[in-house]
Amino acid sequence: MINTVVSGACGNMGKKILAQFALETDVHVIAAIERKDHQNIGEELQLGLVLSPDLSFVKHNDCMVVEFSNPQATIEHLEIAVERKLPMVIGTTGFTKEQSEFVASCAKHIPILKSHNYGLGMNVFMEVVQSATRLLGGAYDIEIIESHAANKPDIPSGTGMTIAKAIAEARGDVVDEVIQYGRDSTKSYQRRNHEIGIHSLRSGSYRSVHTVIFAGSGERMEFTHHEEDSSIIAKGVVYGVRFLQGQKPGLYSMKDVLAFMQESHL
């Protein structure tokens, strides 16, 4: 049995993770965490599961932390996790460069699985896009269009940036040197070698749509992933939890989880 602590338990993803974990026979939730000022702190979410304000309130050490909160809370919980040697699955987005570096430093002491998107389909999608990039080299222009609901705050999305990094990596580039955020009509423009354009649409009730365009001379290809229900993220988190159980300290990704699934014939 894998004992877990779910942080961000009352958020959209937290609720779906709790619901998914309840269906699994090998995953058990021993504690749930939310921000200190949440109205339900101290209340029982389900039988025996009382909502706590931070990880320090959880005294159980034989457990794994599943973190889907905010960057600052994640950093605070990481400090506790390192001290108590607790593995952590991180789905939090919006980290600063310094915070990302701190996460990487913590991975020297505990196993950490970190991803912007735990959906299995999206991670296979990124594998396909990377393969296409390697095969086509620099002969095709690449653009990314990511569409989300009007109220999504981060631009571009964490998944959109992950796709851009995957493409840059496949071509041996540093993403910050080749990425182009939209186009500015007030400035003259000429496409750079290996440039990756990324465009963010925020409208209506879009769930999540990511399209990668490979545009060549006389043809173009488009790969699109539609996320219709965020519960698929929770299902991916289950596989992530199973993968991380018993791992050595290190910073792992969903690529490692996919390899684990293939080896385990899951």
Side-chain angles (χ1 to χ4, degrees), residues 92-109:
T92 304
T93 60
F95 288 113
T96 64
K97 180 181 178 182
E98 291 74 19
Q99 288 171 330
S100 294
E101 290 172 350
F102 180 75
V103 173
S105 70
C106 290
K108 297 176 182 177
H109 307 284

Side-chain angles (χ1 to χ4, degrees), residues 112-131 133-134 162-163 165-171 236 239-240 243-244 247 251-264:
I112 296 175
L113 172 62
K114 180 174 178 282
S115 178
H116 285 103
N117 191 309
Y118 282 85
L120 299 182
M122 171 51 73
N123 282 279
V124 171
F125 171 80
M126 285 193 278
E127 292 285 314
V128 170
V129 167
Q130 274 198 310
S131 294
T133 302
R134 284 190 288 266
T162 300
I163 294 170
K165 289 175 183 176
I167 292 169
E169 179 184 304
R171 289 201 293 201
Y239 287 107
F243 159 79
L244 201 62
Q247 294 290 350
L251 186 58
Y252 300 95
S253 71
M254 281 299 288
K255 187 172 288 190
D256 299 302
V257 176
L258 291 177
F260 165 76
M261 292 175 62
Q262 187 174 19
E263 292 169 5
S264 304

Side-chain angles (χ1 to χ4, degrees), residues 195-215:
E195 180 175 296
I196 301 170
I198 186 165
H199 311 274
S200 300
L201 306 184
R202 297 290 179 269
S203 58
S205 57
Y206 264 116
R207 173 53 223 158
S208 173
V209 181
H210 292 83
T211 296
V212 179
I213 300 170
F214 291 82

Side-chain angles (χ1 to χ4, degrees), residues 11-250:
N12 179 52
M13 276 314 308
K15 290 176 182 176
K16 295 196 174 186
I17 289 169
L18 287 176
Q20 187 64 43
F21 282 7
L23 300 176
E24 308 300 328
T25 58
D26 59 339
V27 180
H28 177 57
V29 181
I30 62 167
I33 299 172
E34 255 301 341
R35 66 181 190 276
K36 296 175 177 63
D37 62 346
H38 195 278
Q39 61 182 4
N40 298 123
I41 291 294
E43 295 184 8
E44 196 172 63
L45 293 183
Q46 55 193 56
L47 185 62
L49 192 64
V50 176
L51 193 63
S52 301
D54 63 59
L55 187 57
S56 65
F57 281 73
V58 181
K59 303 305 180 184
H60 203 304
N61 281 325
D62 181 21
C63 60
M64 182 183 302
V65 182
V66 178
E67 189 74 38
F68 276 73
S69 58
N70 60 68
Q72 186 55 44
T74 301
I75 296 301
E76 292 172 2
H77 292 161
L78 264 172
E79 292 172 346
I80 298 171
V82 168
E83 181 181 346
R84 293 167 53 184
K85 303 299 182 185
L86 306 179
M88 183 177 282
V89 174
I90 299 178
T92 304
T93 60
F95 288 113
T96 64
K97 180 181 178 182
E98 291 74 19
Q99 288 171 330
S100 294
E101 290 172 350
F102 180 75
V103 173
S105 70
C106 290
K108 297 176 182 177
H109 307 284
I110 60 172
I112 296 175
L113 172 62
K114 180 174 178 282
S115 178
H116 285 103
N117 191 309
Y118 282 85
L120 299 182
M122 171 51 73
N123 282 279
V124 171
F125 171 80
M126 285 193 278
E127 292 285 314
V128 170
V129 167
Q130 274 198 310
S131 294
T133 302
R134 284 190 288 266
L135 289 168
L136 297 173
Y140 285 62
D141 296 331
I142 301 178
E143 299 279 301
I144 300 168
I145 302 172
E146 54 95 359
S147 306
H148 289 84
N151 61 356
K152 184 172 178 62
D154 50 329
I155 296 176
S157 67
T159 300
M161 276 304 300
T162 300
I163 294 170
K165 289 175 183 176
I167 292 169
E169 179 184 304
R171 289 201 293 201
D173 297 325
V174 176
V175 68
D176 290 340
E177 296 176 358
V178 295
I179 199 163
Q180 173 69 42
Y181 300 101
R183 303 287 186 268
D184 187 344
S185 63
T186 66
K187 299 178 181 178
S188 60
Y189 169 74
Q190 183 173 359
R191 190 178 187 93
R192 295 169 291 156
N193 185 39
H194 282 203
E195 180 175 296
I196 301 170
I198 186 165
H199 311 274
S200 300
L201 306 184
R202 297 290 179 269
S203 58
S205 57
Y206 264 116
R207 173 53 223 158
S208 173
V209 181
H210 292 83
T211 296
V212 179
I213 300 170
F214 291 82
S217 178
E219 66 175 358
R220 64 188 264 155
M221 292 175 289
E222 297 184 7
F223 298 92
T224 299
H225 177 269
H226 295 260
E227 180 184 303
E228 299 171 356
D229 186 344
S230 59
S231 63
I232 64 169
I233 305 296
K235 293 176 183 176
V237 171
V238 171
Y239 287 107
V241 165
R242 289 173 180 155
F243 159 79
L244 201 62
Q245 178 78 345
Q247 294 290 350
K248 296 178 180 179

